Amino acid sequence: MAMYKDYYRLQTDPFNTHPNTGTFFVSNTHKEAWYYLLFGIETQEPFLVLTGEYGMGKTLLCLRLVKFLKDTGMTRVEYIPTANEGFGGILRRMATSLGIFPLPEDEEILQDMVYDRFRAETVNAHFYLIIDDAHELDTTILTKLKYLSTFNHNEFFPVIMIFVGHPLFLQDLKSPALSSLNQRIKRRYHLAKFSLEDTKNYIYFRLLRSGATGIPAFPDDTIARIFEYSGGVPRLINNICDTCLLIGASKKLISIPTLVVDEARTLVEGSIGETKAEPQNNSAPAVSTEYQISFSEELPAGNTPQQPFTAIPQVAVEEYETEPPAQPKKPAFLSGKQLAFALKVTAIVVLLLLLLAVIFQSLLSDNGMFSRLASFTLTTPSLPPTEEFPRPGDMESNRAVSEIPTLRDEMSDRSTAQTPIPPHPPRPEALNPPAKDPDVLHPFSIRASSYQQIDQALKEMAEIRQQGLSPYLVKADLGDMGLLWRIYIGFFSTEEDARKTITTYTLPHAAVQKIDYACLVGEFTNEADFVNIFERLKKSGHFPYVIQKDRNLFRLYLGAYEKKTEAESLSQELQKKGIKSQVTRR
């Protein structure tokens, strides 16, 4: 492979089939699978099941999940790459991770020692077991894993299992012997094969990651042929493209035509000498059946192989593009038509932005409806001018800001720091008076759900608010995997109060969560003092909320997290925008 790497001046093999978390292509289906896994972990589902055809990148997702969990402080993670280890091997891995030593030979004794270690722990912490190729597990092992997952101590279930395998695993779960395990799995996700657009983006992504700068080029008709042969399976795309580059380098091609794809398919499928690739149309030249091939001596210095390649179909040079010059040009990946279309779209977007700017300026004029908001001056805490908000990454937040209720809407519905208001209540002040002690903490909230799309989150918040409850929104930044919007309900000083609310309002999918770290933006003695700041934060793409500590003390917060480091990260982000805040327990 190094031969075509040198010829095309690539830094790495672009279509290496070994999983590498550094070259993870986030297609639509892989992104949805990732959110499925994260949501299941957040909601502490005991079982998660991810399936996909062979070659869809399931192992790569497993490795990425292991890295993500460990990077976020969840060190108790075991990845089981093969079913050959058996249940005893899985137990030994868990015991070693838990620090159990020496390990007994007897499987039952070892399992009891694992249980005893969980019972002895004073802090509840989950153990994540990620099992790859789950379709190769037999019924006996799956039954033992089910019993392992159902172990609990003081109503806490420490083991979370993630099964990853072929769709055949779903058929295994439907057997009568595994019906109990099948019922315990709430949701399943199946990786769909790539579309033509995904295939195109995937090929470009792999080439760019390998250091390609336009050569080799894959025209649209070539990519369409690759998609046809591969069926949208990433591993097959890798095999065909890798072989295309090998043939292309031997022919000194700077662009890969469809005939090379036909030839590569013949090699990949192992039908060489028996069948010839059928051309896409009758006018395409036939492929020669001569098999002697060697690299040209005219390759750039250092590209001459030590041994010539053989057994690769030879095709007449005139059937392909001409040889590249000594210093080949670097054509762009986009064709002329695509570039023209991109320029037109860019021009339209610029014109629309200018039009929006004119409209917004008119609204902020002296006679505009927002002139009052544009003219007020803030004191403490300080905020930068509105025009500095938001950053480009917050555009999705801005589009939905208008749907978020105003402060007065929230304060009229919110049961401040106490149990939410039941349907058809008396006035909130009479039903749930604020705490007399302003130092009482309210670390508990009810976790309702999480969404990838903010529009869906706001829709559910509106439905929750109609029940008389008080939801609020927290944004979680997951890095290159995007944003996650978490919906919480109410503020409670005890876990018992939160559980009573879940029972009263019949919230079957909700759970109590302790999220007492937040960013305190300011304290105020009445609502009028902070209404402007609340609205400014909302317009800047943030989602503030208020906890009323007593009748004359209001605290304005942003974010809600289990870990102090998460709140500190938000505080640093706010500091860059000029928003003063303090990480505190709320």
Side-chain angles (χ1 to χ4, degrees):
M1 302 306 173
M3 296 177 184
Y4 78 64
K5 275 177 53 182
D6 291 340
Y7 180 75
Y8 290 121
R9 296 178 174 83
L10 303 175
Q11 299 173 5
T12 59
D13 292 336
F15 300 105
N16 194 323
T17 55
H18 292 300
N20 182 354
T21 56
T23 56
F24 180 68
F25 174 70
V26 186
S27 67
N28 290 332
T29 186
H30 285 90
K31 189 171 186 178
E32 290 176 1
W34 182 254
Y35 278 111
Y36 161 76
L37 293 172
L38 292 189
F39 179 76
I41 289 172
E42 280 203 355
T43 54
Q44 302 174 12
E45 293 184 19
F47 293 102
L48 298 173
V49 174
L50 175 67
T51 61
E53 297 292 338
Y54 296 119
M56 281 303 303
K58 301 184 296 295
T59 296
L60 185 54
L61 272 173
C62 288
L63 297 177
R64 189 174 179 86
L65 182 61
V66 170
K67 184 178 185 300
F68 172 81
L69 291 174
K70 291 184 177 180
D71 288 347
T72 52
M74 304 177 190
T75 57
R76 307 209 306 187
V77 181
E78 276 300 320
Y79 170 57
I80 312 298
T82 175
N84 294 336
E85 298 189 30
F87 183 69
I90 295 174
L91 277 179
R92 282 189 288 274
R93 280 176 169 265
M94 293 183 64
T96 302
S97 180
L98 291 170
I100 298 174
F101 184 82
L103 301 179
E105 294 294 331
D106 188 277
E107 187 177 290
E108 293 184 1
I109 296 177
L110 180 59
Q111 183 168 321
D112 288 340
M113 293 179 68
V114 171
Y115 289 164
D116 290 341
R117 178 56 57 90
F118 285 139
R119 293 189 186 98
E121 293 178 343
T122 57
V123 178
N124 292 336
H126 284 104
F127 193 104
Y128 299 92
L129 198 58
I130 304 173
I131 303 177
D132 207 350
D133 287 338
H135 55 278
E136 297 182 0
L137 297 171
D138 60 32
T139 302
T140 301
I141 296 178
L142 287 171
T143 302
K144 292 180 178 180
L145 288 173
K146 182 199 72 173
Y147 291 140
L148 179 63
S149 71
T150 55
F151 167 79
N152 68 92
H153 177 59
N154 293 333
E155 298 184 0
F156 176 73
F157 294 79
V159 181
I160 290 180
M161 294 189 185
I162 302 171
F163 293 112
V164 180
H166 190 271
L168 292 173
F169 182 63
L170 300 179
Q171 298 299 322
D172 296 338
L173 291 174
K174 293 180 180 179
S175 65
L178 298 175
S179 60
S180 177
L181 173 60
N182 194 34
Q183 291 176 2
R184 284 177 164 83
I185 302 171
K186 288 184 180 180
R187 287 171 285 273
R188 302 150 178 82
Y189 187 86
H190 179 73
L191 284 168
K193 295 180 181 180
F194 283 180
S195 64
L196 175 59
E197 187 67 20
D198 284 335
T199 301
K200 180 179 180 179
N201 292 334
Y202 176 76
I203 293 173
Y204 287 168
F205 171 82
R206 298 292 292 237
L207 286 170
L208 289 171
R209 281 299 178 95
S210 69
T213 57
I215 299 175
F218 282 76
D220 288 348
D221 56 346
T222 298
I223 293 176
R225 188 71 61 89
I226 294 172
F227 172 69
E228 175 189 348
Y229 288 161
S230 67
V233 177
R235 185 183 296 162
L236 296 181
I237 296 172
N238 288 344
N239 292 342
I240 294 174
C241 288
D242 185 79
T243 309
C244 284
L245 294 186
L246 181 61
I247 298 173
S250 71
K251 293 296 183 181
K252 300 181 65 177
L253 303 176
I254 61 175
S255 181
I256 306 300
T258 56
L259 283 175
V260 168
V261 181
D262 297 336
E263 194 173 348
R265 182 195 185 190
T266 301
L267 286 174
V268 169
E269 294 181 350
S271 56
I272 189 167
E274 299 175 3
T275 60
K276 294 185 289 186
E278 297 180 0
Q280 188 72 6
N281 53 65
N282 296 331
S283 60
V287 178
S288 170
T289 55
E290 298 180 281
Y291 301 124
Q292 184 67 28
I293 197 169
S294 63
F295 281 76
S296 170
E297 295 180 355
E298 299 178 7
L299 286 174
N303 286 350
T304 305
Q306 297 177 356
Q307 297 179 354
F309 270 65
T310 59
I312 299 180
Q314 174 72 29
V315 183
V317 176
E318 57 268 22
E319 296 175 6
Y320 296 96
E321 295 186 13
T322 58
E323 298 179 1
Q327 296 295 330
K329 297 180 180 179
K330 299 178 180 179
F333 287 118
L334 293 176
S335 65
K337 292 182 178 180
Q338 292 173 324
L339 182 59
F341 176 78
L343 291 175
K344 290 180 180 178
V345 171
T346 303
I348 293 173
V349 170
V350 171
L351 290 175
L352 288 175
L353 290 175
L354 291 174
L355 180 60
L356 289 175
V358 172
I359 295 174
F360 188 71
Q361 183 65 30
S362 66
L363 291 175
L364 292 178
S365 63
D366 293 338
N367 296 326
M369 60 185 299
F370 298 123
S371 58
R372 181 179 62 85
L373 289 178
S375 60
F376 74 81
T377 302
L378 295 175
T379 55
T380 303
S382 63
L383 291 174
T386 304
E387 54 270 20
E388 295 185 15
F389 292 108
R391 294 181 302 172
D394 296 330
M395 293 303 295
E396 185 179 6
S397 304
N398 279 348
R399 289 197 298 269
V401 161
S402 59
E403 302 179 32
I404 303 175
T406 63
L407 175 63
R408 294 185 182 275
D409 294 336
E410 292 197 359
M411 293 299 292
S412 63
D413 291 337
R414 185 181 300 275
S415 168
T416 55
Q418 297 293 333
T419 306
I421 308 168
H424 310 295
R427 290 188 58 81
E429 294 81 4
L431 182 65
N432 296 296
K436 295 182 180 180
D437 185 359
D439 295 326
V440 172
L441 299 179
H442 300 86
F444 296 97
S445 285
I446 299 171
R447 183 182 60 241
S449 56
S450 300
Y451 288 95
Q452 177 183 350
Q453 301 295 332
I454 188 174
D455 294 341
Q456 297 175 350
L458 293 175
K459 181 180 179 181
E460 179 166 332
M461 287 182 66
E463 295 173 354
I464 293 173
R465 193 172 288 105
Q466 289 178 357
Q467 300 179 48
L469 297 168
S470 304
Y472 63 100
L473 198 60
V474 174
K475 178 176 66 173
D477 190 346
L478 304 180
D480 59 354
M481 296 306 298
L483 301 176
L484 196 65
W485 306 94
R486 298 169 179 164
I487 301 176
Y488 295 103
I489 301 174
F491 315 97
F492 305 89
S493 57
T494 66
E495 184 177 358
E496 182 182 0
D497 289 341
R499 293 192 181 279
K500 286 180 181 178
T501 301
I502 292 178
T503 303
T504 301
Y505 286 85
T506 314
L507 305 173
H509 301 297
V512 178
Q513 186 171 350
K514 188 178 182 182
I515 43 174
D516 51 344
Y517 288 105
C519 292
L520 177 64
V521 178
E523 292 185 348
F524 306 88
T525 56
N526 59 72
E527 179 183 342
D529 290 342
F530 63 87
V531 62
N532 287 338
I533 296 176
F534 184 96
E535 295 301 326
R536 283 286 299 279
L537 287 170
K538 192 182 76 169
K539 291 180 182 298
S540 70
H542 293 285
F543 302 92
Y545 57 90
V546 177
I547 299 181
Q548 185 177 358
K549 289 296 184 175
D550 62 22
R551 294 191 180 279
N552 296 313
L553 180 60
F554 300 84
R555 288 179 180 167
L556 183 63
Y557 294 94
L558 284 171
Y561 306 99
E562 289 182 321
K563 299 179 181 178
K564 187 177 181 180
T565 54
E566 294 177 299
E568 290 173 344
S569 177
L570 174 61
S571 180
Q572 293 173 2
E573 177 186 340
L574 296 173
Q575 182 68 28
K576 293 178 181 178
K577 294 183 174 183
I579 303 174
K580 295 180 180 180
S581 66
Q582 177 184 354
V583 175
T584 182
R585 293 177 182 270
R586 63 185 197 185

